[in-house]
Amino acid sequence: MKVLIVNTSDRTGGAAVAANRLMMALNNNGVKAKMLVRDKLSDSLTVVALPKSPLLHWYFLWERLVIYCRLRFSRRHLFEIDLANAGADITRLPEFREADVIHLHWINQGMLSLGTIQKILLSGKPVVWTMHDIWPATALCHVTLGCRHFTSICHHCRLLPNGGSDSDLSTSVWHKKQRMLDGESIYYVACSRWLEGEAKASALLKGQKITSIPNPIDTHVYKRGDRMEARRRLGLPLDRQYILFASQRVTNENKGIDYLVEACRQLDDLPNVTVLILGGHAEEVAPQLTLDAIPLGYINDERRIVDIYQASDVFVLPSLSENLPNTIMEAMACGLPCVGFRVGGIPEEIDHKRNGYVADYRSASDLALGIRWVLTSDQREALSEACVHKVAQSYSYQSVALRYTDVYQQAMAFKHYKL
């Protein structure tokens, strides 16, 4: 079986990391998988970049320009909306023709348009689409934040000026997505059971096959190690307790840094505690914390990232909306207990008071309580072992690859049946 995984990038963003790991997991388990991307940043022979063309950059610019105009020349929600009104045609590429299954992942910001996705569907090849967020089931947004319009029809979009209207941009894109799916089938895979439920509630995906499979993680890379040795490698003091917060861009409001700042104010009485901030713009956040803080900045060296997980005592991700965050999975694979809000797929990863702490949504005080519970626990070793066991059981390359192989076979059988 030959599978072509399609994603905008092979390295940038959580979806890229997850898609790359899935490609490796499949290849390790008897499925021939390649990855097709617009932005190739690795030197992997199994990752293929789109043929170079000035149009690739134009697709991105054109979509942003249209959104910018519809936002009345405001940048406020410029990168929270995707229209998929422009993108590359991949159906003529040899990698597409050779594939038995086309597996879409995060294809936004000019990678594929709704028109080119429809062309992929009309090619007759079975299509699987992994949902790294809610966008495939809504008109414009990647995060709904309580909006339920997608359960009937998108309109009055909160991201549009003055809250949109009965027939705004979200409504027109919704109808375009409906036309794209008219009479066609896609096998949707959500990365969490929570997102699977949201996708099944979408009126847009009514009648489509929807299931959930978590992202995989390489447990040979992300694994437990000696905490003190990791600290020595990083040049960190050995006699501290470390709270780790990580995000691609730590100032992203959705990642909940304000709640961590408030939680830290409630932990002032704990001695010798330092917060490690991993991600872009970390230096902007560090001064806001009442506890000692070290801004590590953005790091893409995987070995160094593993060291940071291994050196820490607790990982905190107070996101306001999440699917199945890779960072929690990575931390747990390294034996690091995690604390996060009861939202999205986070409670599926963290088993409350078994391998971490699930705090009440948007409660800084409960977040602080969870951090304190982990840092003062006399069962640290048991917590760490429970983290590693959960990852091995649910997120290993083999377990995830086997579940996807079954999905591919079902998608191929269903397509054959329809033909």
PDB file of all heavy atoms in Angstrom, residues 100-115:
ATOM      1  N   ASP A 100      -1.933   4.958  -3.526  1.00  0.00           N
ATOM      2  CA  ASP A 100      -3.204   4.236  -3.399  1.00  0.00           C
ATOM      3  C   ASP A 100      -4.194   5.037  -2.562  1.00  0.00           C
ATOM      4  O   ASP A 100      -5.407   4.925  -2.748  1.00  0.00           O
ATOM      5  CB  ASP A 100      -2.972   2.869  -2.730  1.00  0.00           C
ATOM      6  CG  ASP A 100      -2.066   1.972  -3.547  1.00  0.00           C
ATOM      7  OD1 ASP A 100      -2.359   1.767  -4.739  1.00  0.00           O
ATOM      8  OD2 ASP A 100      -1.059   1.499  -2.987  1.00  0.00           O
ATOM      9  N   VAL A 101      -3.653   5.818  -1.605  1.00  0.00           N
ATOM     10  CA  VAL A 101      -4.490   6.624  -0.712  1.00  0.00           C
ATOM     11  C   VAL A 101      -3.878   8.023  -0.615  1.00  0.00           C
ATOM     12  O   VAL A 101      -2.660   8.168  -0.469  1.00  0.00           O
ATOM     13  CB  VAL A 101      -4.560   6.003   0.702  1.00  0.00           C
ATOM     14  CG1 VAL A 101      -5.370   6.903   1.643  1.00  0.00           C
ATOM     15  CG2 VAL A 101      -5.163   4.608   0.660  1.00  0.00           C
ATOM     16  N   ILE A 102      -4.729   9.041  -0.700  1.00  0.00           N
ATOM     17  CA  ILE A 102      -4.298  10.417  -0.478  1.00  0.00           C
ATOM     18  C   ILE A 102      -4.713  10.805   0.937  1.00  0.00           C
ATOM     19  O   ILE A 102      -5.892  10.757   1.281  1.00  0.00           O
ATOM     20  CB  ILE A 102      -4.941  11.389  -1.497  1.00  0.00           C
ATOM     21  CG1 ILE A 102      -4.677  10.907  -2.931  1.00  0.00           C
ATOM     22  CG2 ILE A 102      -4.405  12.800  -1.285  1.00  0.00           C
ATOM     23  CD1 ILE A 102      -3.210  10.739  -3.281  1.00  0.00           C
ATOM     24  N   HIS A 103      -3.728  11.180   1.743  1.00  0.00           N
ATOM     25  CA  HIS A 103      -3.980  11.464   3.158  1.00  0.00           C
ATOM     26  C   HIS A 103      -3.695  12.941   3.426  1.00  0.00           C
ATOM     27  O   HIS A 103      -2.541  13.360   3.534  1.00  0.00           O
ATOM     28  CB  HIS A 103      -3.092  10.573   4.040  1.00  0.00           C
ATOM     29  CG  HIS A 103      -3.440  10.647   5.496  1.00  0.00           C
ATOM     30  ND1 HIS A 103      -2.979   9.733   6.423  1.00  0.00           N
ATOM     31  CD2 HIS A 103      -4.211  11.518   6.197  1.00  0.00           C
ATOM     32  CE1 HIS A 103      -3.437  10.056   7.618  1.00  0.00           C
ATOM     33  NE2 HIS A 103      -4.185  11.147   7.502  1.00  0.00           N
ATOM     34  N   LEU A 104      -4.753  13.729   3.515  1.00  0.00           N
ATOM     35  CA  LEU A 104      -4.627  15.155   3.788  1.00  0.00           C
ATOM     36  C   LEU A 104      -4.429  15.397   5.284  1.00  0.00           C
ATOM     37  O   LEU A 104      -5.002  14.692   6.117  1.00  0.00           O
ATOM     38  CB  LEU A 104      -5.876  15.905   3.324  1.00  0.00           C
ATOM     39  CG  LEU A 104      -6.314  15.708   1.871  1.00  0.00           C
ATOM     40  CD1 LEU A 104      -7.556  16.554   1.581  1.00  0.00           C
ATOM     41  CD2 LEU A 104      -5.198  16.044   0.910  1.00  0.00           C
ATOM     42  N   HIS A 105      -3.642  16.408   5.601  1.00  0.00           N
ATOM     43  CA  HIS A 105      -3.463  16.844   6.985  1.00  0.00           C
ATOM     44  C   HIS A 105      -3.807  18.334   7.047  1.00  0.00           C
ATOM     45  O   HIS A 105      -4.890  18.730   6.652  1.00  0.00           O
ATOM     46  CB  HIS A 105      -2.042  16.544   7.475  1.00  0.00           C
ATOM     47  CG  HIS A 105      -1.839  15.102   7.825  1.00  0.00           C
ATOM     48  ND1 HIS A 105      -1.763  14.641   9.121  1.00  0.00           N
ATOM     49  CD2 HIS A 105      -1.724  13.998   7.029  1.00  0.00           C
ATOM     50  CE1 HIS A 105      -1.610  13.329   9.123  1.00  0.00           C
ATOM     51  NE2 HIS A 105      -1.581  12.919   7.864  1.00  0.00           N
ATOM     52  N   TRP A 106      -2.885  19.190   7.490  1.00  0.00           N
ATOM     53  CA  TRP A 106      -3.137  20.637   7.565  1.00  0.00           C
ATOM     54  C   TRP A 106      -2.689  21.243   6.238  1.00  0.00           C
ATOM     55  O   TRP A 106      -1.494  21.328   5.970  1.00  0.00           O
ATOM     56  CB  TRP A 106      -2.362  21.241   8.742  1.00  0.00           C
ATOM     57  CG  TRP A 106      -2.889  22.550   9.223  1.00  0.00           C
ATOM     58  CD1 TRP A 106      -3.859  22.755  10.146  1.00  0.00           C
ATOM     59  CD2 TRP A 106      -2.453  23.864   8.818  1.00  0.00           C
ATOM     60  NE1 TRP A 106      -4.067  24.110  10.346  1.00  0.00           N
ATOM     61  CE2 TRP A 106      -3.213  24.814   9.552  1.00  0.00           C
ATOM     62  CE3 TRP A 106      -1.493  24.329   7.906  1.00  0.00           C
ATOM     63  CZ2 TRP A 106      -3.041  26.187   9.400  1.00  0.00           C
ATOM     64  CZ3 TRP A 106      -1.330  25.700   7.755  1.00  0.00           C
ATOM     65  CH2 TRP A 106      -2.100  26.617   8.504  1.00  0.00           C
ATOM     66  N   ILE A 107      -3.639  21.653   5.401  1.00  0.00           N
ATOM     67  CA  ILE A 107      -3.321  22.028   4.016  1.00  0.00           C
ATOM     68  C   ILE A 107      -3.659  23.499   3.746  1.00  0.00           C
ATOM     69  O   ILE A 107      -3.903  23.874   2.594  1.00  0.00           O
ATOM     70  CB  ILE A 107      -4.064  21.107   3.017  1.00  0.00           C
ATOM     71  CG1 ILE A 107      -5.567  20.934   3.385  1.00  0.00           C
ATOM     72  CG2 ILE A 107      -3.424  19.726   3.004  1.00  0.00           C
ATOM     73  CD1 ILE A 107      -6.453  22.085   3.122  1.00  0.00           C
ATOM     74  N   ASN A 108      -3.625  24.314   4.792  1.00  0.00           N
ATOM     75  CA  ASN A 108      -4.049  25.706   4.679  1.00  0.00           C
ATOM     76  C   ASN A 108      -2.925  26.644   4.255  1.00  0.00           C
ATOM     77  O   ASN A 108      -1.813  26.224   3.989  1.00  0.00           O
ATOM     78  CB  ASN A 108      -4.660  26.161   6.002  1.00  0.00           C
ATOM     79  CG  ASN A 108      -5.905  25.371   6.363  1.00  0.00           C
ATOM     80  OD1 ASN A 108      -5.896  24.567   7.286  1.00  0.00           O
ATOM     81  ND2 ASN A 108      -6.978  25.571   5.624  1.00  0.00           N
ATOM     82  N   GLN A 109      -3.295  27.948   4.161  1.00  0.00           N
ATOM     83  CA  GLN A 109      -2.374  29.030   3.809  1.00  0.00           C
ATOM     84  C   GLN A 109      -1.733  28.834   2.430  1.00  0.00           C
ATOM     85  O   GLN A 109      -0.544  29.030   2.233  1.00  0.00           O
ATOM     86  CB  GLN A 109      -1.315  29.216   4.903  1.00  0.00           C
ATOM     87  CG  GLN A 109      -1.929  29.650   6.225  1.00  0.00           C
ATOM     88  CD  GLN A 109      -0.922  30.113   7.251  1.00  0.00           C
ATOM     89  OE1 GLN A 109       0.269  30.129   7.011  1.00  0.00           O
ATOM     90  NE2 GLN A 109      -1.419  30.503   8.419  1.00  0.00           N
ATOM     91  N   GLY A 110      -2.576  28.426   1.468  1.00  0.00           N
ATOM     92  CA  GLY A 110      -2.153  28.373   0.080  1.00  0.00           C
ATOM     93  C   GLY A 110      -1.634  27.041  -0.405  1.00  0.00           C
ATOM     94  O   GLY A 110      -1.188  26.943  -1.551  1.00  0.00           O
ATOM     95  N   MET A 111      -1.677  25.994   0.425  1.00  0.00           N
ATOM     96  CA  MET A 111      -1.220  24.673  -0.027  1.00  0.00           C
ATOM     97  C   MET A 111      -2.228  24.069  -1.004  1.00  0.00           C
ATOM     98  O   MET A 111      -1.918  23.761  -2.143  1.00  0.00           O
ATOM     99  CB  MET A 111      -1.011  23.747   1.173  1.00  0.00           C
ATOM    100  CG  MET A 111      -0.654  22.316   0.802  1.00  0.00           C
ATOM    101  SD  MET A 111       0.971  22.197   0.040  1.00  0.00           S
ATOM    102  CE  MET A 111       0.989  20.458  -0.454  1.00  0.00           C
ATOM    103  N   LEU A 112      -3.468  23.902  -0.554  1.00  0.00           N
ATOM    104  CA  LEU A 112      -4.541  23.394  -1.408  1.00  0.00           C
ATOM    105  C   LEU A 112      -5.742  24.332  -1.320  1.00  0.00           C
ATOM    106  O   LEU A 112      -5.994  24.929  -0.282  1.00  0.00           O
ATOM    107  CB  LEU A 112      -4.975  21.991  -0.978  1.00  0.00           C
ATOM    108  CG  LEU A 112      -3.954  20.856  -1.058  1.00  0.00           C
ATOM    109  CD1 LEU A 112      -4.606  19.549  -0.606  1.00  0.00           C
ATOM    110  CD2 LEU A 112      -3.364  20.708  -2.444  1.00  0.00           C
ATOM    111  N   SER A 113      -6.476  24.429  -2.401  1.00  0.00           N
ATOM    112  CA  SER A 113      -7.732  25.177  -2.400  1.00  0.00           C
ATOM    113  C   SER A 113      -8.894  24.193  -2.338  1.00  0.00           C
ATOM    114  O   SER A 113      -8.712  22.979  -2.530  1.00  0.00           O
ATOM    115  CB  SER A 113      -7.847  26.024  -3.665  1.00  0.00           C
ATOM    116  OG  SER A 113      -8.011  25.177  -4.799  1.00  0.00           O
ATOM    117  N   LEU A 114     -10.092  24.706  -2.080  1.00  0.00           N
ATOM    118  CA  LEU A 114     -11.270  23.843  -2.103  1.00  0.00           C
ATOM    119  C   LEU A 114     -11.445  23.236  -3.487  1.00  0.00           C
ATOM    120  O   LEU A 114     -11.859  22.077  -3.629  1.00  0.00           O
ATOM    121  CB  LEU A 114     -12.512  24.646  -1.711  1.00  0.00           C
ATOM    122  CG  LEU A 114     -12.523  25.249  -0.300  1.00  0.00           C
ATOM    123  CD1 LEU A 114     -13.835  25.975  -0.045  1.00  0.00           C
ATOM    124  CD2 LEU A 114     -12.289  24.184   0.761  1.00  0.00           C
ATOM    125  N   GLY A 115     -11.097  24.020  -4.515  1.00  0.00           N
ATOM    126  CA  GLY A 115     -11.198  23.507  -5.888  1.00  0.00           C
ATOM    127  C   GLY A 115     -10.247  22.360  -6.148  1.00  0.00           C
ATOM    128  O   GLY A 115     -10.607  21.375  -6.802  1.00  0.00           O
TER     129      GLY A 115
END
